[in-house]
Amino acid sequence: MHIANIDFEDFYKDIFSNTSELKEFFKQIENLPPENNKAAIILHQAARMIWLADRIEEVAKGRPALQILFYLISAESAAKIVKGFIKDGASRKHVRIFFEEICSDKHRAILGRAFGDHNKNYTVREAVDFLYDIRCDVAHEGKYYYLTLPDVNDDYPEITGTDKITLTAYISINHLRKIVIEGAVLAAKRCI
């Protein structure tokens, strides 16, 4: 399959409770003026970035930092579109906006338990900043090999970190993927 052939309705189908809700949502998106359809841009960009992240496992199994790079590109893009930000920069700020303002309370609760250090869980802001630092390590320094995350079915945490810190991860890459996909849908709904 080629990235240009992503079936967006199929990609997002698991986010909706039923097919009619999915169809109605995409019908709303299609009825927006095409020249400024921010909702479609968010959904298409998120699907493309997550689709690419999904392919990482084929060539770099067990290296979630590479997937996080794509997830945070998607989050940043969605937040900038929602906020109407058209300048360069302010990436960390917009990644924070995505997770802290656009994502649901349920997502924030998961992120508030995602990482810990010395028997203390990171706050949502600390978790988002940690993920952003991972993104920067990959994008700017090519460091994609430090971070590990527990498997989705594991009941135990993973000791992980970067070359600078050690912490415990309680979130799988699949859980983070789901948060970003659901957050992209929430961002798109704000633009309808």
Side-chain angles (χ1 to χ4, degrees):
M1 183 171 154
H2 191 276
I3 194 169
N5 298 325
I6 295 172
D7 179 335
F8 296 108
E9 281 190 37
D10 185 59
F11 185 85
Y12 288 103
K13 71 181 179 208
D14 294 336
I15 303 306
F16 295 87
S17 58
N18 59 57
T19 305
S20 61
E21 182 185 357
L22 170 74
K23 296 283 185 196
E24 178 58 33
F25 176 71
F26 273 92
K27 187 175 183 179
Q28 287 179 310
I29 302 291
E30 290 169 10
N31 288 333
L32 294 172
E35 65 277 356
N36 194 21
N37 192 335
K38 293 177 181 181
I41 294 168
I42 289 169
L43 293 174
H44 294 173
Q45 179 70 352
R48 289 180 189 120
M49 291 296 107
I50 294 165
W51 185 90
L52 288 168
D54 290 347
R55 297 321 142 305
I56 294 295
E57 275 297 295
E58 298 168 16
V59 295
K61 187 167 180 62
R63 300 295 185 205
L66 294 165
Q67 292 160 301
I68 289 168
L69 170 70
F70 287 107
Y71 296 162
L72 269 59
I73 290 170
S74 177
E76 176 188 348
S77 173
K80 284 182 174 181
I81 291 169
V82 166
K83 292 296 186 176
F85 186 84
I86 56 173
K87 300 176 188 171
D88 290 335
S91 297
R92 183 183 298 264
K93 174 184 174 183
H94 285 88
V95 168
R96 286 175 173 170
I97 288 169
F98 179 82
F99 289 107
E100 294 176 357
E101 296 177 21
I102 295 172
C103 286
S104 70
D105 289 340
K106 176 183 161 190
H107 299 145
R108 284 186 286 282
I110 293 167
L111 286 170
R113 296 184 308 270
F115 302 102
D117 185 12
H118 300 96
N119 297 321
K120 173 192 155 283
N121 281 347
Y122 276 24
T123 64
V124 173
R125 170 69 55 95
E126 289 169 330
V128 170
D129 282 350
F130 174 72
L131 293 169
Y132 188 82
D133 291 344
I134 294 295
R135 168 236 183 250
C136 289
D137 282 351
V138 174
H140 305 298
E141 300 179 41
K143 295 179 183 176
Y144 64 90
Y145 37 83
Y146 289 109
L147 182 72
T148 56
L149 295 176
D151 288 334
V152 71
N153 295 322
D154 286 349
D155 290 332
Y156 52 88
E158 181 79 28
I159 304 300
T160 190
T162 68
D163 60 337
K164 299 172 192 99
I165 63 168
T166 300
L167 51 79
T168 305
Y170 301 93
I171 188 169
S172 71
I173 198 67
N174 291 334
H175 288 119
L176 183 57
R177 177 186 187 275
K178 185 173 180 172
I179 289 171
V180 174
I181 291 173
E182 290 177 5
V185 169
L186 292 172
K189 286 181 177 181
R190 288 186 177 203
C191 296
I192 294 178

